Amino acid sequence: MLVELEEKEATLINVGLLIEALKTENLDRFRAEFTELHPYDQAQFYTHISEELRAVLYRYVAPKEMAELFENIEIDEEDYEKFLAEMDPVYVADMLSHMYADDAADVLHELNEEQASNYLTMMDDEAAQEVQELLGYKEYTAGSLMTPEFISVEANATVSFAMKTLKQEAPNAETIYYVFVTDTNKKLLGVLSLRTLIVSPDDAVIEDLMDDRVVSVLVTEDQEEVAHKMRDYNLLAVPVVDEKHHLLGIITVDDIIDVMDEEASDDYSKLAGVSDLDSVDKSPLSAAKKRLPWLIILLFLGMMTASLIGQFEETLSQKAILAVFIPLIGGMAGNTGTQALAVAVRGIATGDLIHENKWKLVMREAGTGLITGAICGVVVTGIVYVWQQDLLLGALVGASIFITLIVATLAGSLVPLFMHKMKIDPAVASGPFITTINDIISILIYFGLATTFMHYLL
Amino acid sequence: MLVELEEKEATLINVGLLIEALKTENLDRFRAEFTELHPYDQAQFYTHISEELRAVLYRYVAPKEMAELFENIEIDEEDYEKFLAEMDPVYVADMLSHMYADDAADVLHELNEEQASNYLTMMDDEAAQEVQELLGYKEYTAGSLMTPEFISVEANATVSFAMKTLKQEAPNAETIYYVFVTDTNKKLLGVLSLRTLIVSPDDAVIEDLMDDRVVSVLVTEDQEEVAHKMRDYNLLAVPVVDEKHHLLGIITVDDIIDVMDEEASDDYSKLAGVSDLDSVDKSPLSAAKKRLPWLIILLFLGMMTASLIGQFEETLSQKAILAVFIPLIGGMAGNTGTQALAVAVRGIATGDLIHENKWKLVMREAGTGLITGAICGVVVTGIVYVWQQDLLLGALVGASIFITLIVATLAGSLVPLFMHKMKIDPAVASGPFITTINDIISILIYFGLATTFMHYLL
């Protein structure tokens, strides 16, 4: 494995050298190279070597350095337990104490409660308390993402005092680019960027410089909404407050980028009907385990479709050619439904779809279904007529496509809107699900029409 | 329309007051409220009012203020032309001159060449030149995203000199949180965060403080790769260099968040078979226009499926019950194919799928197909046997599902990998496409088996 890293002239990290140094237990050579790496690259190296080599590495890398590495690590949830089990518990506790509280809480979230509380008792008291508080917030809320390590000053302070505070707290603060302004009761009053601070005279008072229309989020707010706010307002950090507007913590942009990545992958995987996009290096068995639930559900839904068609066996045996168009009509219904669903789900996810234009969207989709249905219906009628020399059959298939497309497009937008209203994640009404629903609708329409007009067809 | 904005106590922007002030042409009242808003909220207000009210607004808001508003606007590509056409050309040029060069270039990108060059000739010379250079870079590359407005010092400067430079350039720089260090020929040597600068003594030399393992991107690099680097290394800004490592510009994290949003929506919409997720307030006609191309392509692919089934009309009229299972088998093939595709496409998009583990992925998917195929195959055989009291029919459908799932899962991972190799965006091999391909494969397998074993079935 070669990790690429751009330097003065783009160079490659010498993975061979690092491994060699670990194998020969050459501490100096290893550290000379390793400590020069970006923590992300350190983490890449760390996760890709063998357990034996990692055992040497733990002796060569201090808990404080490992803390930085773990803040930049990208591993699956189940791997946290594995890696931590390799280390000495005291080493783990020391590492966790050195991590930013929000990152440490993320790690402990992946462990079972007993393990987590064991590490907490061994941790540095102050750090443990900060982490403990964060663990109390529900997952996927602003509270679970925030860190209490921010810089704040009171409104009546001067610029020079604020700069002094900032320099003192810089080593521990997760960002120093915003200074948050509070009253004596820790109520958030405003925000000041380091930019403003730097270009202002030393004796200016914070209250006069600060922006008092500060965008903040509630501690209970959903992480997706936090992400929208930070994106819309181009924020590097957002303050988190309680109901009474007391400042509790901040959320930094790097955590939000991870959230956006997660949410996007999540919506995407649901559209594809996978509970979770398994990473590339998982085993076939673990991949199969994640996909089977969906496949089995869809299998039973497919069986319903089959039994529905079974009701029309009589019709089918009278005119076998009807069977030929089943996948076409079902497929078109599924496709148009997925298109409409995607627009609605993304609209809900990105916050573009607000209350008053939901009805507008449904009307729009009805219109869209009408147009696409009419055009596809006419095209199909023509093709079937030319191919089978049977205008009535063509008209039957065309009419089915026309009605199906209207109904399926509407269903594609109504189902996610309805689920959103019921407070179910609309992405669950994913591609395969809406496809199967529309399959059933399309078959009812097609065979309904066919059975009704059968005596003309024969 | 009510725009929400959190203040000391969460308040709502008084849209009614703003509109009233525009209607009654009350300049002072309008500006008192409007200039207090975050540019994002200003943009929200601006895009939602009528053209008549906007005409008043242009008189009340200076081009410099409008520049900030346009840096935070979220509108569809085609709307740029509309809004700019409402303004006086001199006003537009003035506004563009005040925008960050990268944002101005983004606006001009949406216009036709003649319009763009008209505005460029009217713009402030220096600004026009900066924007012109950016327009020369290909879309979706690092060059098209970067801004030349960054802060740099030479390596032999002192901290106090760097701070002086920073204070001077702060009003124009897009970020002041990184200072880039170059040699006398503008070659990038390192980077220094404002954080380090602030906690270092005044007479320290930059060269001793800077981080010389700076992560940079090539000007020709794809924007998606830039996004991965910034996410992985938690960067607020990344320097952009040419082949000889000369510093050309920087890309800031807010632009990258927009890119990530775009790319995620793009992959998602392709999986759903929409060329582009139309926004909620577009007309049915414009929505239909975007979806029809896909629907028509899929219609013709569906016709191929139909004509393929037509080849087996003989088989079908001998045993009509066979038709009942067509949607089930096709549906299962489509679903498993989409699942495999999603894993591969996201793996490619997020950069997790690197060269050496592609082969591993394909082998894994073969294994996954084998496991899911075997389980679903057995379940189906059982259900069909119980339902139709026909073990042979059950075995036929079960065997078809088994083979289909293996082939479809493999196709779902091979197709995007192949497209990526051919330098085609693998997301194009979207859900509906892979579904239709797998429809055809499944029918060949199902009717191939049925025709072969027909004399046992009758």
Side-chain angles (χ1 to χ4, degrees):
Chain A
M1 186 209 64
L2 283 174
V3 180
E4 252 187 32
L5 189 114
E6 241 98 344
E7 214 197 342
K8 284 170 230 161
E9 302 296 327
T11 55
L12 295 172
I13 298 181
N14 202 331
V15 178
L17 184 145
L18 283 169
I19 289 182
E20 192 56 37
L22 285 179
K23 277 190 181 153
T24 56
E25 308 218 357
N26 188 333
L27 170 67
D28 294 336
R29 233 179 122 191
F30 177 76
R31 285 192 56 89
E33 180 72 19
F34 191 73
T35 54
E36 281 292 303
L37 298 182
H38 188 286
Y40 172 76
D41 294 318
Q42 293 180 343
Q44 287 284 318
F45 174 77
Y46 168 78
T47 51
H48 281 86
I49 57 177
S50 68
E51 194 179 330
E52 290 71 39
L53 290 180
R54 274 201 296 273
V56 182
L57 187 142
Y58 297 131
R59 287 192 279 125
Y60 289 3
V61 175
K64 192 179 168 178
E65 293 164 329
M66 192 55 105
E68 240 196 307
L69 187 157
F70 259 76
E71 282 162 3
N72 286 276
I73 211 166
E74 276 179 5
I75 50 179
D76 285 341
E77 297 176 6
E78 55 265 39
D79 289 337
Y80 278 99
E81 213 171 318
K82 182 182 113 196
F83 284 124
L84 295 193
E86 292 175 9
M87 307 178 201
D88 185 272
V90 178
Y91 185 94
V92 174
D94 207 0
M95 173 185 89
L96 290 169
S97 303
H98 279 102
M99 287 173 78
Y100 286 118
D102 58 335
D103 294 320
D106 286 345
V107 172
L108 291 179
H109 247 309
E110 309 302 346
L111 309 180
N112 65 45
E113 254 177 67
E114 199 195 316
Q115 287 172 318
S117 71
N118 270 346
Y119 288 129
L120 277 169
T121 50
M122 282 189 284
M123 277 170 70
D124 171 77
D125 281 350
E126 197 191 318
Q129 203 199 322
E130 280 181 357
V131 173
Q132 186 102 57
E133 271 169 36
L134 294 186
L135 284 174
Y137 294 105
K138 250 174 73 184
E139 253 197 304
Y140 311 121
T141 62
S144 74
L145 286 175
M146 72 180 183
T147 169
E149 293 139 321
F150 57 87
I151 296 174
S152 69
V153 294
E154 290 183 15
N156 54 8
T158 58
V159 165
S160 68
F161 178 83
M163 281 300 285
K164 225 178 75 191
T165 311
L166 194 140
K167 283 182 196 182
Q168 264 167 21
E169 295 185 16
N172 294 316
E174 196 164 338
T175 181
I176 62 160
Y177 302 131
Y178 290 114
V179 173
F180 298 93
V181 187
T182 61
D183 66 11
T184 46
N185 292 320
K186 296 281 165 214
K187 271 203 185 177
L188 180 66
L189 296 179
V191 67
L192 196 65
S193 69
L194 180 51
R195 196 185 189 116
T196 313
L197 213 49
I198 274 185
V199 296
S200 300
D202 276 358
D203 55 352
V205 177
I206 297 301
E207 193 160 18
D208 303 330
L209 298 173
M210 72 178 190
D211 186 353
D212 62 0
R213 294 239 183 177
V214 49
V215 178
S216 63
V217 297
L218 262 180
V219 68
T220 51
E221 214 163 311
D222 187 85
Q223 61 175 11
E224 212 164 342
E225 280 165 54
V226 178
H228 297 157
K229 262 191 199 159
M230 292 191 73
R231 181 199 58 194
D232 290 343
Y233 292 97
N234 284 341
L235 302 171
L236 297 180
V238 69
V240 182
V241 296
D242 64 15
E243 308 262 297
K244 291 191 173 142
H245 224 65
H246 293 111
L247 181 58
L248 301 177
I250 60 165
I251 298 175
T252 49
V253 70
D254 53 316
D255 295 322
I256 277 308
I257 287 185
D258 295 339
V259 167
M260 289 177 58
D261 240 19
E262 263 172 46
E263 301 272 352
S265 280
D266 202 41
D267 284 354
Y268 188 82
S269 60
K270 278 179 186 146
L271 188 64
V274 216
S275 60
D276 185 3
L277 290 175
D278 39 16
S279 77
V280 174
D281 40 67
K282 286 279 163 265
S283 73
L285 198 68
S286 95
K289 253 191 224 162
K290 284 191 175 161
R291 298 185 199 173
L292 266 174
W294 252 123
L295 287 176
I296 297 284
I297 292 171
L298 294 168
L299 187 84
F300 279 93
L301 286 172
M303 271 298 169
M304 278 177 55
T305 317
S307 78
L308 195 67
I309 303 179
Q311 305 296 315
F312 299 99
E313 208 185 327
E314 177 69 23
T315 311
L316 268 173
S317 56
Q318 284 171 4
K319 200 152 173 84
I321 190 77
L322 284 177
V324 164
F325 301 103
I326 296 175
L328 172 74
I329 295 170
M332 293 298 288
N335 291 326
T336 191
T338 306
Q339 289 178 331
L341 174 108
V343 171
V345 168
R346 277 310 281 185
I348 294 167
T350 59
D352 289 345
L353 202 60
I354 38 178
H355 186 70
E356 54 261 62
N357 56 16
K358 276 179 192 163
W359 184 238
K360 226 169 108 186
L361 176 73
V362 174
M363 290 309 294
R364 202 276 303 271
E365 292 300 330
T368 309
L370 199 75
I371 299 171
T372 53
I375 294 175
C376 292
V378 170
V379 172
V380 163
T381 307
I383 296 177
V384 175
Y385 173 60
V386 171
W387 176 28
Q388 294 285 330
Q389 294 294 320
D390 184 341
L391 186 58
L392 208 69
L393 183 68
L396 173 72
V397 179
S400 301
I401 291 267
F402 174 65
I403 302 173
T404 295
L405 255 57
I406 298 172
V407 178
T409 309
L410 263 175
S413 68
L414 283 174
V415 170
L417 286 178
F418 176 74
M419 295 184 100
H420 184 59
K421 195 165 183 137
M422 297 283 100
K423 306 221 178 280
I424 306 168
D425 178 3
V428 173
S430 67
F433 182 72
I434 203 86
T435 299
T436 311
I437 295 295
N438 280 336
D439 240 13
I440 295 175
I441 293 173
S442 68
I443 282 159
L444 281 176
I445 293 171
Y446 179 45
F447 281 102
L449 285 180
T451 311
T452 311
F453 297 105
M454 184 49 92
H455 53 285
Y456 298 108
L457 282 169
L458 292 174
Chain B
M1 184 209 66
L2 282 174
V3 181
E4 252 188 33
L5 190 115
E6 241 99 341
E7 213 197 342
K8 283 169 231 161
E9 302 295 327
T11 55
L12 294 171
I13 297 179
N14 200 329
V15 178
L17 184 147
L18 283 169
I19 289 182
E20 193 54 39
L22 284 179
K23 277 190 181 153
T24 56
E25 309 218 357
N26 189 333
L27 171 66
D28 293 335
R29 234 177 122 194
F30 177 77
R31 285 193 57 89
E33 179 74 18
F34 192 73
T35 54
E36 280 291 305
L37 298 182
H38 188 287
Y40 172 75
D41 293 319
Q42 293 181 343
Q44 288 282 321
F45 175 76
Y46 167 79
T47 52
H48 282 84
I49 57 176
S50 69
E51 194 180 331
E52 291 70 39
L53 290 179
R54 274 199 297 272
V56 182
L57 186 143
Y58 297 132
R59 287 191 280 122
Y60 289 1
V61 175
K64 193 179 169 179
E65 294 164 328
M66 192 55 104
E68 239 196 309
L69 186 157
F70 259 77
E71 282 162 3
N72 287 275
I73 209 166
E74 275 179 6
I75 49 179
D76 284 342
E77 295 177 8
E78 53 267 38
D79 288 337
Y80 279 99
E81 214 170 316
K82 181 182 113 192
F83 284 125
L84 295 193
E86 292 175 9
M87 306 177 200
D88 185 273
V90 178
Y91 185 95
V92 174
D94 208 0
M95 173 186 89
L96 291 169
S97 304
H98 280 102
M99 286 173 78
Y100 286 118
D102 58 334
D103 293 320
D106 285 345
V107 173
L108 291 179
H109 246 309
E110 310 302 347
L111 309 179
N112 66 44
E113 254 177 67
E114 201 193 315
Q115 288 172 317
S117 71
N118 270 344
Y119 288 129
L120 277 170
T121 50
M122 283 189 285
M123 277 170 69
D124 170 78
D125 281 351
E126 198 190 318
Q129 204 199 323
E130 280 181 357
V131 174
Q132 185 102 57
E133 271 169 35
L134 294 186
L135 285 174
Y137 295 106
K138 253 175 72 183
E139 255 196 302
Y140 311 120
T141 62
S144 74
L145 286 176
M146 72 180 183
T147 170
E149 292 138 322
F150 56 87
I151 296 176
S152 69
V153 294
E154 289 183 15
N156 54 9
T158 58
V159 165
S160 69
F161 179 83
M163 282 299 287
K164 226 179 72 189
T165 310
L166 194 141
K167 284 182 194 181
Q168 265 169 21
E169 295 185 16
N172 294 316
E174 196 163 338
T175 181
I176 63 160
Y177 302 131
Y178 289 114
V179 173
F180 297 93
V181 187
T182 62
D183 66 10
T184 46
N185 293 319
K186 297 279 165 214
K187 270 201 185 180
L188 180 66
L189 295 179
V191 66
L192 195 64
S193 68
L194 179 50
R195 194 184 189 118
T196 314
L197 212 50
I198 274 184
V199 297
S200 300
D202 276 359
D203 56 351
V205 177
I206 297 300
E207 194 160 17
D208 303 330
L209 298 173
M210 72 180 190
D211 185 353
D212 62 0
R213 294 239 183 176
V214 48
V215 177
S216 63
V217 297
L218 262 181
V219 68
T220 50
E221 215 162 311
D222 188 83
Q223 62 176 10
E224 213 165 340
E225 280 165 52
V226 178
H228 297 158
K229 263 191 197 158
M230 291 189 73
R231 180 199 59 193
D232 290 344
Y233 292 97
N234 283 343
L235 302 171
L236 297 179
V238 68
V240 183
V241 296
D242 64 14
E243 307 263 295
K244 290 188 173 141
H245 224 66
H246 293 112
L247 181 58
L248 300 177
I250 60 165
I251 297 174
T252 50
V253 70
D254 54 316
D255 295 322
I256 276 309
I257 288 184
D258 295 339
V259 167
M260 289 177 61
D261 241 17
E262 265 173 47
E263 301 271 353
S265 281
D266 202 43
D267 283 354
Y268 188 82
S269 60
K270 279 178 185 147
L271 187 63
V274 217
S275 60
D276 187 1
L277 290 174
D278 38 16
S279 77
V280 173
D281 40 67
K282 285 280 162 264
S283 74
L285 198 68
S286 95
K289 253 191 222 161
K290 284 191 174 160
R291 297 185 200 174
L292 264 173
W294 252 122
L295 287 176
I296 297 284
I297 292 172
L298 295 167
L299 186 83
F300 279 93
L301 286 172
M303 272 295 167
M304 278 177 54
T305 317
S307 78
L308 194 67
I309 303 177
Q311 304 295 315
F312 298 99
E313 208 185 327
E314 178 68 24
T315 312
L316 268 172
S317 55
Q318 284 172 6
K319 198 153 176 84
I321 189 77
L322 285 177
V324 164
F325 301 103
I326 296 175
L328 172 74
I329 295 170
M332 292 298 287
N335 291 328
T336 190
T338 305
Q339 289 178 330
L341 175 107
V343 172
V345 167
R346 277 308 285 184
I348 293 167
T350 58
D352 289 344
L353 202 60
I354 38 175
H355 188 71
E356 53 260 58
N357 56 15
K358 276 179 192 164
W359 185 237
K360 224 169 109 187
L361 176 73
V362 174
M363 291 308 294
R364 201 277 304 269
E365 292 300 329
T368 309
L370 199 76
I371 298 170
T372 53
I375 294 174
C376 292
V378 169
V379 172
V380 164
T381 306
I383 297 176
V384 175
Y385 173 60
V386 171
W387 177 27
Q388 294 284 329
Q389 295 293 322
D390 183 341
L391 186 59
L392 208 67
L393 182 68
L396 172 72
V397 180
S400 301
I401 292 267
F402 175 64
I403 302 174
T404 294
L405 255 58
I406 298 172
V407 178
T409 309
L410 263 177
S413 68
L414 282 173
V415 170
L417 287 177
F418 176 75
M419 294 184 102
H420 184 60
K421 197 167 180 138
M422 296 282 102
K423 303 217 177 286
I424 306 167
D425 177 3
V428 172
S430 66
F433 183 72
I434 204 85
T435 300
T436 311
I437 295 295
N438 281 338
D439 241 11
I440 295 175
I441 293 174
S442 69
I443 282 158
L444 281 176
I445 292 171
Y446 179 45
F447 281 101
L449 286 179
T451 311
T452 311
F453 297 104
M454 184 50 91
H455 53 284
Y456 299 109
L457 282 169
L458 292 174

